[in-house]
């Protein structure tokens, strides 16, 4: 059964937590949820420096890869910023605009599907524009995101940061800053795997599932590289529609996943 994941967090070097059973939602969301909760509840405040990677590894009993992925999600959500050579710091809460999609808007599988439908409309056109306007630097950035995704497949990772980065690079290649601004606002929550265990629950298994997603990304990239606007639009629509259909087939009779 699918399980919905919620965004959370935590960060100041706190006393090591007692050993606890891992919940099926995954290690990365557990760290994100804990650190986000610390920020929300005042244990971590604006300007505070997060614990080091090594400290977080010891605290949560996870690998460096898992810690880095969790930090990437917090960065994409605008909760922290990393200053190279100094550390990662808690950011001030962002002012809320009239338009808002928050973590609590993803209480059900149906909610995640709704966001995918929004993305199908926006990102399909973004891919078409990217094919017409991209330059070599855009292609290099997309290729780097694809390579990172492929490397993650072999690790104990859900490849969310590299997945998000690929879609972000497509948005940037449009030359229209509003596409990239919207992607930045939404952050990694646009990737269904941040909310639902789609990879682990896929009938074909995690590796086959992620390889299929990777192939879909490659098809988008190739169409953009060839400047084929219609093929790029179609490849992006196919990719996001496939994600939507996979969720529809996998959701239980009641779309509300257990808390």
């Amino acid at each position: 059964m699918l399980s919905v994941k919620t965004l959370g967090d935590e960060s100041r070097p706190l006393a090591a937590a007692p050993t606890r059973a891992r919940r099926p939602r995954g290690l990365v969301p557990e760290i994100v949820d804990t650190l986000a909760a610390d920020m929300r509840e005042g244990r971590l405040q604006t300007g505070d420096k997060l614990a080091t990677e090594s400290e977080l590894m010891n605290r949560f009993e996870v690998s460096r890869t898992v810690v880095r992925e969790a930090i990437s999600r917090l960065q994409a959500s605008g909760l922290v910023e990393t200053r190279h050579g100094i550390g990662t710091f808690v950011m001030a809460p962002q002012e809320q605009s009239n338009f808002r999609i928050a973590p609590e808007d993803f209480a059900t599988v149906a909610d995640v599907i709704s966001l995918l439908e929004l993305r199908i409309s926006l990102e399909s056109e973004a891919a078409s524009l990217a094919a017409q306007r991209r330059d070599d630097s855009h292609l290099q950035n997309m290729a780097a995101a694809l390579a990172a995704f492929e490397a993650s497949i072999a690790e104990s990772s859900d490849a969310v940061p590299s997945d998000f980065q690929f879609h972000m690079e497509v948005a940037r290649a449009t030359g229209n800053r509003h596409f990239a601004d919207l992607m930045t606002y939404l952050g990694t929550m646009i990737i269904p795997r941040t909310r639902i265990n789609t990879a682990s629950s896929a009938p074909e298994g995690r590796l086959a599932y992620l390889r299929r997603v990777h192939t879909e990304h490659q098809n988008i990239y190739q169409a953009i590289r060839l400047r084929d606007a219609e093929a790029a639009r179609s490849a992006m629509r196919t990719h996001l529609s496939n994600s939507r259909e996979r969720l529809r087939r996998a959701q239980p009779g009641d779309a509300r996943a257990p808390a």
Side-chain angles (χ1 to χ4, degrees):
M1 173 175 283
L2 298 177
S3 59
V4 170
K5 306 175 185 176
T6 47
L7 180 66
D9 15 24
E10 169 175 18
S11 218
R12 177 175 289 165
L14 306 174
T19 302
R20 58 197 179 284
R22 297 297 185 191
R23 289 170 285 187
R25 60 182 178 167
L27 301 176
V28 173
E30 179 180 338
I31 297 173
V32 172
D33 285 354
T34 304
L35 295 177
D38 278 356
M39 298 175 202
R40 187 170 56 248
E41 296 167 12
R43 291 186 292 275
L44 278 169
Q45 300 181 359
T46 300
D48 282 353
K49 184 178 179 180
L50 295 194
T52 65
E53 286 185 356
S54 296
E55 289 170 334
L56 291 173
M57 288 166 60
N58 290 333
R59 177 182 179 185
F60 292 99
E61 301 174 4
V62 296
S63 68
R64 189 175 302 276
T65 298
V66 171
V67 168
R68 288 181 175 176
E69 205 158 299
I71 296 300
S72 293
R73 292 196 194 180
L74 292 170
Q75 290 171 333
S77 297
L79 296 175
V80 302
E81 65 175 350
T82 297
R83 303 169 193 167
H84 294 293
I86 301 177
T88 299
F89 296 84
V90 178
M91 295 180 65
Q94 298 179 356
E95 292 185 8
Q96 298 197 357
S97 59
N98 292 331
F99 176 79
R100 180 173 182 264
I101 299 179
E104 56 267 25
D105 295 321
F106 296 92
T108 69
V109 176
D111 292 334
V112 180
I113 291 174
S114 293
L115 180 57
L116 277 169
E117 291 175 346
L118 174 65
R119 292 181 61 200
I120 288 170
S121 299
L122 294 173
E123 292 192 62
S124 296
E125 187 59 29
S128 175
L129 291 173
Q132 299 171 60
R133 301 172 180 175
R134 61 81 178 162
D135 59 28
D136 289 344
S137 67
H138 293 133
L139 291 180
Q140 291 171 1
N141 292 337
M142 288 181 215
L146 288 174
F149 190 104
E150 187 171 25
S152 296
I153 292 176
E155 301 176 359
S156 181
S157 165
D158 56 12
V160 165
S162 52
D163 194 335
F164 174 75
Q165 192 62 36
F166 176 75
H167 285 272
M168 173 63 83
E169 296 303 337
V170 172
R172 286 174 175 154
T174 65
N176 182 332
R177 69 177 180 83
H178 297 298
F179 282 100
D181 286 349
L182 179 58
M183 293 290 286
T184 299
Y185 168 75
L186 293 173
T188 56
M189 74 170 69
I190 69 168
I191 308 300
R193 293 190 305 284
T194 64
R195 319 302 300 173
I196 299 171
N197 290 323
T198 47
S200 62
S201 63
E204 69 270 40
R206 173 188 165 277
L207 285 177
Y209 172 89
L210 291 178
R211 285 176 182 142
R212 181 168 56 179
V213 172
H214 182 55
T215 297
E216 291 171 2
H217 285 168
Q218 288 178 314
N219 292 340
I220 298 166
Y221 169 80
Q222 290 300 337
I224 293 174
R225 183 180 67 82
L226 295 173
R227 297 189 184 278
D228 190 331
E230 287 305 314
R233 180 187 286 113
S234 177
M236 181 65 81
R237 179 173 291 276
T238 296
H239 168 52
L240 296 177
S241 295
N242 284 347
S243 294
R244 179 182 60 183
E245 294 310 309
R246 284 191 284 265
L247 283 176
R248 282 179 173 169
R249 290 194 301 268
Q251 66 179 323
D254 179 2
R256 185 170 296 275

